[in-house]
Amino acid sequence: MPRPQPVVYGLYAWTPAYGFRYIHPANRRTFEWLEPTGKLFEKIDETDDWILIRYDEQQFYVSGELFTELHDKPPFSFGDLVEEARPEPGRLPHRGLISDVFWDEARHQISFQIVEKKRKLKRIFEADELRFG
């Protein structure tokens, strides 16, 4: 599904303690496995009953009650090709696709994880550590 323009980014701070009424029955198990707290979602669509949010290549119908819009657009999003801006001397920069976007509420800071050669790197990058590749 193409991204709406402009893309709306936000948080969905759901945990199992909230109960499952906030998650569409078709999405409950996969959304719970995702562990959505601290992850940045793209809001794709909304109806009277549900909003459709996206995280990487997965889409979920959820209640709009727990969605909190972030007004600052992240510099990168899912699928963007990026590379490490300042690799260690003598090492080639990591280069890959954005697969995860995290939001640190305490620091009001965004970070990213990338997939390089079909392998998700363990390292989490701050925004200023990456550039478009």
Side-chain angles (χ1 to χ4, degrees), residues 88-131:
E88 296 172 12
R91 184 179 55 76
L92 293 174
H94 287 294
R95 186 168 197 251
L97 301 175
I98 298 288
S99 65
D100 291 272
V101 183
F102 303 105
W103 177 254
D104 183 331
E105 186 68 34
R107 298 183 312 151
H108 292 287
Q109 191 166 349
I110 198 162
S111 56
F112 305 90
Q113 196 166 18
I114 66 174
V115 171
E116 179 179 57
K117 298 179 185 173
K118 300 182 182 182
R119 185 184 55 121
K120 188 179 283 197
L121 299 181
K122 291 181 181 180
R123 179 171 173 198
I124 306 296
F125 295 89
E126 302 296 328
D128 66 348
E129 296 179 302
L130 297 172
R131 63 179 174 225

Side-chain angles (χ1 to χ4, degrees), residues 77-88:
S77 193
F78 305 110
D80 286 347
L81 179 61
V82 295
E83 69 179 18
E84 189 176 10
R86 294 174 303 282
E88 296 172 12

Side-chain angles (χ1 to χ4, degrees), residues 4 11 15 18 20 23 37-38 51 53 57-58 71-73 79 81-84 87 93 98 100 102 106 111 127 131:
L11 305 172
T15 66
Y18 280 100
F20 290 103
I23 314 302
T37 302
I51 63 171
I53 58 176
E57 296 177 355
Q58 299 179 32
H71 297 286
D72 295 333
K73 183 180 184 297
L81 179 61
V82 295
E83 69 179 18
E84 189 176 10
I98 298 288
D100 291 272
F102 303 105
S111 56
R131 63 179 174 225

Side-chain angles (χ1 to χ4, degrees), residues 3-9 42-43 73 77:
R3 290 178 174 152
Q5 297 296 329
V7 177
V8 174
Y9 294 93
E42 294 178 353
K43 181 176 164 186
K73 183 180 184 297
S77 193

Side-chain angles (χ1 to χ4, degrees), residues 2-72:
R3 290 178 174 152
Q5 297 296 329
V7 177
V8 174
Y9 294 93
L11 305 172
Y12 203 79
W14 175 86
T15 66
Y18 280 100
F20 290 103
R21 73 178 189 89
Y22 296 98
I23 314 302
H24 190 279
N27 299 137
R28 286 181 180 159
R29 185 167 309 274
T30 53
F31 198 69
E32 187 174 13
W33 287 338
L34 178 65
E35 299 178 359
T37 302
K39 295 182 177 171
L40 192 66
F41 292 87
E42 294 178 353
K43 181 176 164 186
I44 296 173
D45 196 11
E46 62 184 296
T47 66
D48 291 338
D49 299 325
W50 303 100
I51 63 171
L52 181 61
I53 58 176
R54 172 181 180 241
Y55 190 80
D56 194 16
E57 296 177 355
Q58 299 179 32
Q59 296 180 6
F60 306 96
Y61 281 104
V62 296
S63 166
E65 293 177 55
L66 298 179
F67 186 80
T68 304
E69 184 177 341
L70 285 183
H71 297 286
D72 295 333

